[in-house]
Amino acid sequence: MSSSTSLIPALESLVYSLVPASRNDEPLRNELVAHCKEILSSRIGQSHEPDIGHLADLVKRQLLQSSPSGTTALKFTNLLSRLFDQHVLSKKHASIQFLHSLASSRQPSSSVPFLPSLVPPPPARPSPSTSPSEKLLPLSQHFSKSRAERLREYRQQAGRPYLPEYLLLRDTLYLLQGISGKFIRLSSQNDNNQLEFVDNTRYVISAPTKALIHRLSEVGYLYTRVDAFVREREGSTGVGMIEQSLCHHLQTKLTEYYRLIAVLESQMPSVTVSGEGNAVDLREHETGLTLRRLDVWINEWRLRMRMMSVCVEGARESQGGALVNLIHSYTDNGDPFIRKFTDQLLEEVSKPFFSTLHKWLFSGELYDPFHEFFVAMDPSLAHVQYMHPSSLTGNINQLAGDSFVAPDQDDRDHRRGGLTIWQAKYRFQQNMLPMFVGEAFGRKILSTGKSLNFIRYSCHDSDWVVTREKMSNTGGSLKYSDIAGLERSIDAAYSTASQRLFDVFIDKFKLLDHLSALKNYMMLGHGDFADQLMNALGPSLSRPANALYRHNLTATLETAIRSSNAQSDPPDVLRRLDARMLEYSHGEIGWDVFTLEYKVDAPIDTVIHPDAMVKYLKLFNHLWQMKRIEGTLSRGWMRVAGGARTTFLRLPDLEPSWHKIRIIMAEMIHFVKQLQAYCQMEVIECSWKVLVEFLHKGEGDLDAMIDAHRTYLDRLVKKTLLLSPKAGREENVMNQVKDLFVTVLQFQDAVENFYNFCLTESTRRDQMLDYDRGLYTGPQDPDSSLEENLPRLLRPVNDYGSQFSEKVQALVAALQTHPDLDCRFLGVRLNFSDYYRGKQQKEKEKERAETATPK
């Protein structure tokens, strides 16, 4: 009861607002309130199960009333049965209900009204005393009008009607262009755009209309942001080409938007204006423009403006490939409209990118004035030139003197090595790479452009134009809509450019000849040349380093070349070979500072770069020292073996000592020969075979060629120098080998002293025999007593021999635990038949026996 009591004031206020005449008519007010309560207590609007049969009966009854013959009812039954057989329409009951309601609404006004109790009595004839507010129309005439007409009449009777829609339409069209209207204005407060409705004493704007205008004004706000961005970029300098393309596409879309606004303005309803200038009649047509129709027309552009606004905001913080990536990220969207719009935008925006890509991919030219491409050039190397091989002419003397004249300082400032320019001039920018390209293809694009640029400016290849035309013919056009074609073009251009670069290096610049020369000379691959050079330079290198002169070394090198098969090598190879001395300190001899040098220039120095030449020098020094030990042992063995047949036969009491010396020397020769065979056969030749096979295949680009040579050289250094990957102990095994070399030289010096003593002793004994026969052949040396000098001379021989055996045992033990498999096999070859293991066991047993013997 309390709830119904509290409901009456609300119903009365509702009746007052809808029927103002009820304020002065209490019976009418009570009747309206009573019927409102009946409506609220009824079941109108409650959900119920659709009963198509009942609805069909109602329709048939209505059709029988209009057509008593029953023909229309029969047609309806047939149509209804056909409708049930159709599966396209899911809500059949609602559709029939809607059609029934339309048919009922078109019935004449004489039909029973929906609320019969609300029908007022027939109006009396107007009397002069009747007030205007009491002049109400009959309910039948009231219901014959449309709802809009009834609402308009009520507002006119209420005093402040709603603002005419055509005025709101005009202001709304202004808002869509970012312009304030007469009744609706745009204001910016604290950088926030707000919508203000101007107060009017004559008209009011309903809340639903305001909400609709707010919805429409979003398009105008987005338009102002896009238009401001385009105008800002048009008036500024330094705008990238991709951003310019974006602005051009946005301007094209805005032009289409202007065209739509013009079409919408042409659809504005016509207005009849009175003589006082006030609109008195609005002629609305079915095709006329309304706010809701405007919302439908502008809905698609709302989505476009949102996408353009997002791109504009991203363009303020991104440029170049990063901006393309930002736009491309919106293509992964399930909305087909957004995906299509983004694809169209990318197709236009990416045109400058593909233009730059085409020049780089097919010409090797980087045209990127605004730094938008994912390939960037180092400004410090922009004007640096390569050193061409033609610069060798006039700077090189054939096999004599200094092979190369050092360039001037100014020349060095403007010229860099090929590897430096190849690796540092152009760099890869990951953040500028579009996602639809991918990093793998991006690396191929970088390599292809660098290869063409290298062929053109470093190799000075006259056929590079033919190569470019071949690549252009296979490439076709590059565009975003054909990503598969783009990938095929990249692969074809990469293969063509890389193959041409391989051909230039192998055929024109004879890269294999230079690598073969480094193998033959710096790694002593030419055995006869190494022997001739060793024999010619051996005596000179035993002198102090400050007593050697470079012109003498160069002349000796020329002699060694002409007296060996090296003279058949190409002249271009021989003129690059030179002999020089390293920096030396006090006390060093020629063996410590002598080295060969092979000079290369651009573009060969891209592969055989200065760091690689340092490694070649390390290899030469090690192999040259090994060759020195081999020569020393060979000469010593020849002397010992020859003396056994001549001089030593006269000293039979020293034969055991010489036998022991020969055993130690054989052990040393075995060590050096196995070490040389390991370096030459298992390391150098095997690595060389892998490198040559790679160059003959011609797969990959110049980076692959550089990596292949680097791998080849690193393998040589690692295995030849017996380096270990363990930090801090890389050269432990190599130092042991160097100690063994020093021990061999010391042993040979001791054997040389003992050999000279044996010659002296043999001469003394001959003199004694001559003296016994009465012949005088010279004075006798009283200090050359065999018993006194023999222990002194044999002690270092025995010591160095024992040290050598102990050091070889330690070396074999270190090689057996070496991480590298080839180095472990070298230990097996040195310790063939477990010689050093058996010798070590014998020494241990001897020590145990000496320890067990009582004193």
Side-chain angles (χ1 to χ4, degrees):
M1 185 65 181
S2 60
S3 60
S4 61
T5 304
S6 61
L7 188 62
I8 292 177
L11 294 176
E12 289 180 350
S13 62
L14 180 62
V15 169
Y16 290 157
S17 61
L18 295 177
V19 185
S22 63
R23 297 177 181 271
N24 301 323
D25 191 349
E26 185 175 357
L28 177 61
R29 180 190 62 197
N30 295 335
E31 183 181 3
L32 293 176
V33 170
H35 281 287
C36 289
K37 292 173 63 178
E38 291 179 4
I39 293 173
L40 292 177
S41 61
S42 67
R43 298 179 178 271
I44 298 177
Q46 294 185 3
S47 60
H48 57 277
E49 293 295 329
D51 189 354
I52 297 182
H54 176 67
L55 181 60
D57 292 338
L58 292 178
V59 174
K60 289 179 182 179
R61 291 175 187 175
Q62 184 176 351
L63 293 176
L64 289 173
Q65 291 178 3
S66 60
S67 178
S69 62
T71 306
T72 54
L74 182 60
K75 290 183 179 180
F76 172 75
T77 304
N78 295 333
L79 293 175
L80 185 63
S81 62
R82 293 172 59 185
L83 178 64
F84 289 157
D85 295 336
Q86 298 294 328
H87 301 287
V88 177
L89 196 61
S90 60
K91 298 181 179 181
K92 299 180 176 61
H93 179 274
S95 302
I96 299 173
Q97 179 70 38
F98 173 71
L99 296 175
H100 177 60
S101 302
L102 289 178
S104 301
S105 63
R106 289 198 299 267
Q107 291 180 356
S109 58
S110 60
S111 59
V112 181
F114 181 71
L115 294 175
S117 60
L118 292 180
V119 179
R125 293 184 179 181
S127 60
S129 61
T130 307
S131 62
S133 59
E134 296 177 355
K135 296 180 180 179
L136 296 177
L137 296 175
L139 189 61
S140 60
Q141 185 178 356
H142 180 76
F143 276 98
S144 63
K145 297 181 180 180
S146 65
R147 294 182 180 180
E149 292 175 347
R150 284 180 289 173
L151 186 60
R152 189 182 299 111
E153 290 177 357
Y154 166 73
R155 288 171 181 167
Q156 291 176 355
Q157 294 172 1
R160 287 188 65 187
Y162 286 159
L163 187 66
E165 189 173 7
Y166 77 95
L167 296 176
L168 292 176
L169 270 175
R170 181 173 300 169
D171 281 10
T172 305
L173 289 176
Y174 289 156
L175 290 178
L176 293 178
Q177 303 172 66
I179 305 173
S180 296
K182 181 179 180 181
F183 301 98
I184 310 171
R185 295 178 182 177
L186 289 172
S187 64
S188 299
Q189 297 180 359
N190 299 327
D191 296 334
N192 293 325
N193 291 327
Q194 295 181 356
L195 204 62
E196 294 182 354
F197 295 91
V198 179
D199 292 335
N200 194 302
T201 57
R202 296 177 56 189
Y203 302 103
V204 295
I205 304 175
S206 63
T209 304
K210 289 183 179 180
L212 181 58
I213 293 175
H214 270 286
R215 174 180 168 83
L216 291 170
S217 64
E218 178 192 359
V219 183
Y221 168 69
L222 297 176
Y223 159 78
T224 56
R225 294 178 64 182
V226 177
D227 184 65
F229 173 80
V230 174
R231 295 181 183 275
E232 177 187 354
R233 289 302 185 267
E234 286 179 353
S236 60
T237 59
V239 180
M241 292 187 295
I242 292 180
E243 198 167 353
Q244 292 178 23
S245 181
L246 173 64
C247 292
H248 173 72
H249 183 73
L250 293 178
Q251 186 62 54
T252 303
K253 292 297 181 183
L254 292 181
T255 303
E256 296 179 7
Y257 180 70
Y258 299 150
R259 190 177 296 111
L260 174 65
I261 296 298
V263 173
L264 293 175
E265 286 182 349
S266 66
Q267 298 296 320
M268 286 278 293
S270 59
V271 181
T272 302
V273 183
S274 65
E276 299 177 357
N278 297 325
V280 298
D281 182 23
L282 179 64
R283 303 185 184 276
E284 296 182 2
H285 303 283
E286 292 297 328
T287 59
L289 186 65
T290 64
L291 287 176
R292 295 203 173 274
R293 288 176 179 171
L294 178 61
D295 184 53
V296 174
W297 275 93
I298 215 71
N299 185 48
E300 182 178 346
W301 274 99
R302 181 181 292 107
L303 298 177
R304 291 184 183 179
M305 286 295 181
R306 287 174 181 174
M307 289 301 304
M308 290 192 288
S309 178
V310 169
C311 295
V312 163
E313 290 301 317
R316 298 183 186 276
E317 301 178 356
S318 305
Q319 67 169 356
L323 179 57
V324 175
N325 273 338
L326 176 67
I327 300 175
H328 182 264
S329 63
Y330 298 117
T331 58
D332 298 331
N333 196 296
D335 190 342
F337 174 82
I338 296 178
R339 189 166 60 249
K340 180 181 178 181
F341 178 82
T342 310
D343 289 340
Q344 293 176 351
L345 179 61
L346 266 181
E347 184 71 25
E348 296 295 328
V349 171
S350 61
K351 284 182 178 179
F353 168 80
F354 284 108
S355 176
T356 305
L357 175 62
H358 191 278
K359 292 180 180 179
W360 174 254
L361 193 63
F362 299 125
S363 300
E365 295 289 344
L366 181 61
Y367 179 72
D368 186 22
F370 300 102
H371 309 289
E372 299 174 296
F373 201 53
F374 65 89
V375 177
M377 182 172 61
D378 189 350
S380 63
L381 299 176
H383 303 289
V384 174
Q385 300 177 357
Y386 294 98
M387 296 183 64
H388 190 257
S390 59
S391 62
L392 300 177
T393 305
N395 291 341
I396 306 169
N397 298 324
Q398 294 287 339
L399 301 175
D402 294 336
S403 298
F404 282 79
V405 176
D408 297 336
Q409 184 63 35
D410 295 339
D411 213 20
R412 291 176 182 174
D413 294 338
H414 294 282
R415 298 178 183 270
R416 300 285 182 90
L419 183 64
T420 302
I421 297 181
W422 170 260
Q423 292 183 340
K425 187 174 183 179
Y426 298 102
R427 65 181 185 275
F428 186 79
Q429 297 186 118
Q430 180 71 35
N431 60 329
M432 289 292 182
L433 179 66
M435 290 184 291
F436 58 81
V437 175
E439 184 175 359
F441 281 101
R443 298 286 181 183
K444 284 188 176 182
I445 293 171
L446 172 66
S447 176
T448 303
K450 286 171 60 177
S451 299
L452 287 178
N453 190 279
F454 192 85
I455 291 172
R456 182 176 181 181
Y457 293 105
S458 172
C459 303
H460 298 272
D461 182 23
S462 59
D463 295 334
W464 81 273
V465 179
V466 179
T467 304
R468 182 184 62 180
E469 292 178 354
K470 185 188 302 184
M471 295 168 60
S472 299
N473 294 335
T474 58
S477 61
L478 306 179
K479 53 186 178 180
Y480 172 76
S481 58
D482 188 13
I483 299 298
L486 172 65
E487 295 178 354
R488 289 194 300 270
S489 300
I490 293 172
D491 286 333
Y494 174 77
S495 301
T496 304
S498 301
Q499 185 61 44
R500 180 58 189 167
L501 190 59
F502 264 77
D503 295 340
V504 168
F505 266 90
I506 301 300
D507 299 335
K508 182 178 180 179
F509 294 102
K510 309 295 182 183
L511 176 62
L512 267 177
D513 292 348
H514 295 296
L515 293 174
S516 179
L518 288 169
K519 172 177 172 291
N520 293 332
Y521 295 109
M522 301 300 292
M523 290 182 283
L524 307 181
H526 277 333
D528 56 343
F529 164 76
D531 292 336
Q532 292 291 337
L533 187 63
M534 180 68 66
N535 295 332
L537 285 177
S540 301
L541 296 180
S542 299
R543 293 183 297 175
N546 55 7
L548 299 176
Y549 298 96
R550 188 174 181 183
H551 63 276
N552 293 333
L553 298 178
T554 306
T556 306
L557 174 63
E558 179 183 356
T559 302
I561 291 175
R562 291 180 176 175
S563 59
S564 64
N565 288 332
Q567 60 183 338
S568 60
D569 285 345
D572 182 62
V573 171
L574 295 179
R575 67 178 181 174
R576 298 173 183 271
L577 194 61
D578 192 14
R580 68 183 182 90
M581 294 184 297
L582 303 175
E583 294 183 3
Y584 57 87
S585 58
H586 180 71
E588 292 184 333
I589 61 175
W591 290 106
D592 301 324
V593 297
F594 172 76
T595 186
L596 286 182
E597 183 179 19
Y598 190 84
K599 296 185 178 180
V600 295
D601 54 3
I604 299 299
D605 64 344
T606 308
V607 179
I608 310 173
H609 47 85
D611 293 338
M613 293 306 304
V614 172
K615 295 179 181 179
Y616 278 115
L617 289 179
K618 288 182 179 180
L619 291 172
F620 173 79
N621 291 331
H622 177 64
L623 296 174
W624 182 248
Q625 293 295 331
M626 196 183 304
K627 193 71 176 177
R628 176 192 178 188
I629 300 300
E630 180 197 12
T632 302
L633 289 174
S634 297
R635 290 191 298 272
W637 181 261
M638 291 175 62
R639 179 176 296 179
V640 170
R645 297 185 180 88
T646 57
T647 306
F648 304 147
L649 293 176
R650 303 176 184 177
L651 301 174
D653 50 342
L654 297 180
E655 180 61 25
S657 298
W658 281 111
H659 178 69
K660 186 176 181 180
I661 290 174
R662 286 194 294 271
I663 293 175
I664 297 175
M665 289 186 68
E667 184 179 348
M668 292 180 175
I669 291 173
H670 169 76
F671 167 75
V672 174
K673 290 295 183 182
Q674 293 301 322
L675 197 58
Q676 282 185 324
Y678 162 77
C679 293
Q680 293 292 338
M681 304 304 297
E682 298 186 14
V683 178
I684 297 176
E685 290 299 332
C686 294
S687 303
W688 173 255
K689 181 181 178 183
V690 175
L691 178 63
V692 171
E693 288 178 352
F694 170 80
L695 294 177
H696 284 164
K697 288 181 181 178
E699 297 178 354
D701 55 357
L702 185 56
D703 283 322
M705 186 186 298
I706 295 172
D707 292 339
H709 178 256
R710 182 182 292 113
T711 303
Y712 159 77
L713 195 54
D714 290 342
R715 185 175 187 272
L716 292 181
V717 173
K718 176 183 176 182
K719 293 181 178 294
T720 302
L721 302 183
L722 305 175
L723 300 180
S724 173
K726 297 180 180 179
R729 294 185 290 176
E730 293 86 354
E731 298 185 357
N732 285 353
V733 179
M734 186 61 196
N735 292 332
Q736 293 180 354
V737 175
K738 291 181 179 179
D739 290 341
L740 284 168
F741 288 169
V742 173
T743 303
V744 171
L745 294 176
Q746 292 173 344
F747 175 79
Q748 284 300 118
D749 290 341
V751 172
E752 185 73 17
N753 293 332
F754 183 64
Y755 177 80
N756 293 332
F757 172 78
C758 289
L759 291 178
T760 304
E761 181 65 19
S762 177
T763 303
R764 188 181 68 82
R765 292 187 180 185
D766 289 343
Q767 289 178 352
M768 291 179 62
L769 293 175
D770 292 340
Y771 181 78
D772 293 340
R773 289 197 300 261
L775 297 175
Y776 177 77
T777 56
Q780 298 182 4
D781 187 4
D783 297 332
S784 60
S785 174
L786 181 64
E787 291 78 8
E788 296 177 359
N789 295 325
L790 187 61
R792 178 178 60 82
L793 295 173
L794 286 179
R795 185 180 304 109
V797 173
N798 295 329
D799 290 343
Y800 292 135
S802 301
Q803 291 178 14
F804 179 81
S805 297
E806 293 173 359
K807 291 179 180 180
V808 172
Q809 291 178 18
L811 176 64
V812 169
L815 290 175
Q816 288 176 349
T817 60
H818 200 281
D820 190 86
L821 183 61
D822 292 333
C823 294
R824 293 203 294 270
F825 281 140
L826 173 61
V828 174
R829 296 177 63 168
L830 292 176
N831 192 24
F832 184 70
S833 70
D834 291 339
Y835 171 77
Y836 290 103
R837 180 180 300 177
K839 190 173 183 179
Q840 187 176 9
Q841 291 177 354
K842 291 180 181 179
E843 291 178 357
K844 289 182 179 180
E845 291 176 357
K846 184 177 180 181
E847 292 177 359
R848 291 173 184 173
E850 291 178 355
T851 305
T853 302
K855 296 183 180 180

